[in-house]
Amino acid sequence: MKKNASLMLNGKALAASEERQLSERVAALRQRPVLAAIIVGDDPASQTYVRMKADACRRVGVEPRTLQLPATTSTQTLLTHIKALNEDAEVRGILLQHPVPTAIDERRCFDAIDMAKDVDGVSCLSFGRMVMNCTAWGSATPAGIMRLLAHYDIKLSGCHAVVLGRSPILGKPMAMMMLNADATVTICHSRTRALAERVKEADVLVAAVGRPHFVPSDWIKPGAVVIDAGYHPKEHCGDVVAERLPEITSAYTPVPGGVGPMTINTLISQTVRAAEQSARQPQPTL
Ligand code: NAP
C-alpha cells in the first residue's frame, strides 16, 4: 500500500500570508504601534534576530524601536529602561532579547515588563496565566508552533507529545500549551534517562535542545509529527537530522522556514492585538 505523503509545515508561507492581514489591521489603527526591542551586549546572533524582527515590523507598518545597551549594563539600569518603556504610551510591545550577559538578573528584568506589553510572553505572570488558561500573551516560539499546528489542522487531543528541552522561553511553555490542548505530555531534558526510548514514543515531537543534528532519524516513530525549533546558523540546520523526515513522518517543519518565521510573526501579531486592545479602552476624561 502506498504511504501518504508527509506534509511540510511551511511557516514561511503562513507568516507571509498573515503579514498581509496584519498590514490591513495596522492601517486601521489611529496610531502606529511601536515594538521596542532591547539588546544588551553585541552577540551577533541576537543582532541578527532583532534585525529580522525589525524588518518584519516594517513590512506590516509596526514601528520597530531598538535600544542597544552595552554588555556592561547593570540590572538596575536595564530595569530603569524597561520602566520607561512600560510608561511610554506609544510602545505596545516590549522585547528583551534573550540571552542577556550573565551578570544581569534576566528573570528580574523579564518580570519587570508590564504584562499588557509582554508580547514575547516571558514574564512569570504571563507564563502562570497562560498555564491557567487565563488571558496572557504566549511565549512567541511555542505560541507560533501552536498556530502552525492549528493552521494545518493537526489535532493534539489524546496525542503523546514529547518536548525535548525545558527552557523558560521554549520547552516549558511549549509543554504547557500542548497540555492545555489535551495532549499527554512528556518533557525531556539533560538528566532524562533512556532519552531515545522517550523520543520514540512521541506522536508529536518538539525538538528544542539547541544542539545541531541531535535527534537521529531512528529515534522518530513512523508517522510522527516532528517540529524542529532548533536553529544553528553556522551548520544551517536544526536539532533534528532532516534528510529522512519526508519519508518517516506524517508532518514536519523545515529548517529554515518552519518555526523561525512563526516566532517573529507571533511576536508582531501579539503587538498588533495589544494595540487594538488598547485602542478599545475608553480614553480617560479630563
Ligand atoms: P536552552 O535554553 O539552551 O535549553 C536547551 C534545553 O535542552 C535545556 O532544557 C536542556 O536541558 C536541554 N538539553 C541540553 N542538552 C541536552 C541533552 N544532551 N539531552 C537532553 N536535553 C538536553 O535553549 P532554548 O533557548 O530553549 O533554545 C533551544 C533551541 O531553539 C536553540 O537551537 C535555539 O536557537 C532555538 N530557538 C529557536 C527559536 C526560533 O524562533 N526558531 C526561538 C528560540 C530558540 P537542561 O534544562 O537539563 O539543561
Side-chain angles (χ1 to χ4, degrees), residues 38-112:
I38 309 175
I39 319 183
V40 189
D42 45 17
D43 173 44
S46 291
Q47 303 279 347
T48 306
Y49 293 140
V50 169
R51 210 170 29 248
M52 287 165 75
K53 289 166 188 172
D55 289 345
C57 278
R58 286 189 199 96
R59 287 198 296 272
V60 302
V62 169
E63 183 186 327
R65 206 175 279 171
T66 305
L67 187 59
Q68 171 73 63
L69 300 174
T72 50
T73 303
S74 67
T75 300
Q76 208 49 54
T77 304
L78 183 50
L79 287 170
T80 306
H81 284 291
I82 292 170
K83 186 167 180 284
L85 293 173
N86 284 341
E87 288 166 2
D88 184 334
E90 288 183 350
V91 173
R92 298 297 176 204
I94 301 172
L95 159 76
L96 173 57
Q97 185 64 40
H98 164 83
V100 295
T102 48
I104 293 177
D105 185 344
E106 185 181 74
R107 174 47 49 203
R108 209 173 144 205
C109 295
F110 277 160
D111 288 345

Side-chain angles (χ1 to χ4, degrees), residues 107-260:
R107 174 47 49 203
R108 209 173 144 205
C109 295
F110 277 160
D111 288 345
I113 300 172
D114 179 343
M115 200 188 80
K117 298 187 181 188
D118 181 20
V119 291
D120 205 19
V122 291
S123 74
C124 287
L125 187 58
S126 299
F127 176 80
R129 288 183 61 86
M130 177 276 288
V131 173
M132 291 303 172
N133 271 323
C134 300
T135 319
W137 303 123
S139 182
T141 302
I145 290 171
M146 294 300 282
R147 290 172 68 213
L148 190 61
L149 291 171
H151 175 78
Y152 284 98
D153 204 21
I154 293 173
K155 303 270 188 290
L156 292 170
S157 179
C159 285
H160 184 190
V162 174
V163 180
L164 185 45
R166 58 171 169 179
S167 75
I169 59 156
L170 215 174
K172 230 174 250 180
M174 182 80 261
M176 294 301 117
M177 287 178 196
M178 289 183 148
L179 180 66
N180 284 348
D182 296 328
T184 301
V185 182
T186 299
I187 307 173
C188 298
H189 47 80
S190 64
R191 306 291 172 89
T192 299
R193 295 202 193 115
L195 184 63
E197 300 317 308
R198 299 287 78 77
V199 173
K200 281 178 193 174
E201 290 163 1
D203 300 316
V204 178
L205 171 68
V206 180
V209 72
R211 295 180 178 226
H213 294 136
F214 184 81
V215 178
S217 303
D218 62 359
W219 287 15
I220 294 165
K221 180 157 103 176
V225 173
V226 174
I227 307 295
D228 190 347
Y231 182 54
H232 308 283
K234 246 191 257 159
E235 298 83 354
H236 206 58
C237 71
D239 288 351
V240 180
V241 175
E243 282 71 21
R244 292 187 57 222
L245 291 181
E247 85 188 65
I248 307 169
T249 64
S250 59
Y252 69 97
T253 53
V255 179
V259 173

